[in-house]
Amino acid sequence: MNMFAMSDDNYPSERVINAASVGRLEDLRRALDDGGDPDYVRLNVAPTLITTFRNYEECLALLIERGARPDVPNQEGWTALHEASKKEETTLLEIVLRAPDTQVRMFAQDKHGHSALFAAMEENRFENAKLLLQREPTLVDTCDKQGITPVMFAAQNKNAEWLEFLLKAGADINSTTEDQKTLADFVGPWDEGRVIMQNTRAVKVDKTESAPKKVRSQTEDSAPVVEPPVKENAFQLGGVRKKTM
């Protein structure tokens, strides 16, 4: 059963979300050819998000080809970019990253202020993190609502692999949180973390754009939500959970 189906299926944009939600590639193609909006939102879910969530690779690829944005958020701020970044395989993220800069905000953040890099870290997806940083190196220093950067997040969770990975990716060790904590404060007495900090030489990254230090508005550059509000996370589509020690 198509949870997105409506009684009147004659409108092209309705047909877009209907076809996307069940992975019907040819139906999706016809709906787009008939003028359907590739970013049409129903129940706070965009076609790119539902196809990524359900692993409909061909449908996602078609949507991206037709100009759909993989950064349209649901009510949690979760996007197809986030969802693809947490997948075990890199295929969906590679498809999402086909979108040109004008079609995707690489700094899109969820309700916690977490970028797609945080999503990759939460699921321990190093290959996805590499793809994200190849596309946008300054993601390495994008912080959440508390000013915590990915490298601080790694230290907070005593994750040596991610700490080393992010330092080698050029993470700024001098960034401060809203309460003026630095990476050294997060490492604290953790011996392995201190050794990694001492021995790892961060690679200098040519940054073409400053990574945002504050959370961007969830409505900025996003497609408008055309449906009335629904109760939170109606379809349980992801969301990065903040880990605490």
Side-chain angles (χ1 to χ4, degrees), residues 32-230:
L32 292 168
D33 287 345
D34 289 343
D37 182 0
D39 290 325
Y40 183 74
V41 173
R42 187 190 297 159
L43 298 178
N44 283 312
V45 179
T48 51
L49 179 53
I50 193 62
T51 51
T52 305
F53 181 74
R54 293 181 171 174
N55 300 306
Y56 297 144
E57 296 172 7
E58 292 182 324
C59 288
L60 177 62
L62 178 61
L63 287 164
I64 296 297
E65 178 187 323
R66 296 296 186 92
R69 299 191 65 96
D71 58 11
V72 180
N74 67 1
Q75 65 272 21
E76 300 288 309
W78 197 250
T79 69
L81 179 61
H82 288 86
E83 183 66 26
S85 298
K86 64 177 283 189
K87 299 291 189 180
E88 183 175 3
E89 301 295 330
T90 62
T91 306
L92 287 162
L93 183 57
E94 290 170 356
I95 293 171
V96 164
L97 294 179
R98 293 176 191 170
D101 291 342
T102 55
Q103 196 173 321
V104 58
R105 292 175 301 122
M106 292 299 297
F107 297 118
Q109 296 169 317
D110 71 3
K111 69 176 185 179
H112 302 292
H114 285 171
S115 69
L117 181 57
F118 280 94
M121 291 177 66
E122 286 250 331
E123 298 297 329
N124 214 35
R125 308 302 190 200
F126 284 95
E127 293 305 313
N128 288 339
K130 289 176 185 177
L131 290 173
L132 290 168
L133 292 175
Q134 286 170 5
R135 173 66 178 265
E136 182 46 74
T138 59
L139 274 174
V140 76
D141 290 326
T142 304
C143 64
D144 67 10
K145 287 186 175 181
Q146 285 73 47
I148 295 174
T149 63
V151 73
M152 293 175 184
F153 189 71
Q156 184 181 51
N157 289 281
K158 302 295 185 287
N159 192 314
E161 287 185 286
W162 279 106
L163 179 63
E164 183 173 6
F165 173 85
L166 293 165
L167 287 172
K168 287 182 176 180
D172 184 359
I173 65 173
N174 297 312
S175 291
T176 59
T177 62
E178 290 189 351
D179 55 358
Q180 301 306 303
K181 289 183 179 179
T182 66
L183 176 60
D185 294 314
F186 284 93
V187 171
W190 177 35
D191 289 337
E192 187 176 10
R194 294 173 67 180
V195 170
I196 291 171
M197 281 191 67
Q198 291 169 1
N199 295 340
T200 302
R201 296 293 181 264
V203 178
K204 183 177 180 181
V205 178
D206 293 328
K207 299 181 178 180
T208 58
E209 177 182 352
S210 297
K213 292 297 180 182
K214 299 297 180 182
V215 178
R216 295 188 178 192
S217 167
Q218 297 300 331
T219 59
E220 181 182 342
D221 298 329
S222 298
V225 175
V226 298
E227 297 291 333
V230 296

Side-chain angles (χ1 to χ4, degrees), residues 2 4-6 8-9 13-24 42:
N2 180 3
F4 290 92
M6 296 182 71
D8 189 346
D9 194 40
S13 295
E14 301 284 358
R15 288 158 48 207
V16 167
I17 194 69
N18 288 344
S21 69
V22 292
R24 292 177 178 168
R42 187 190 297 159

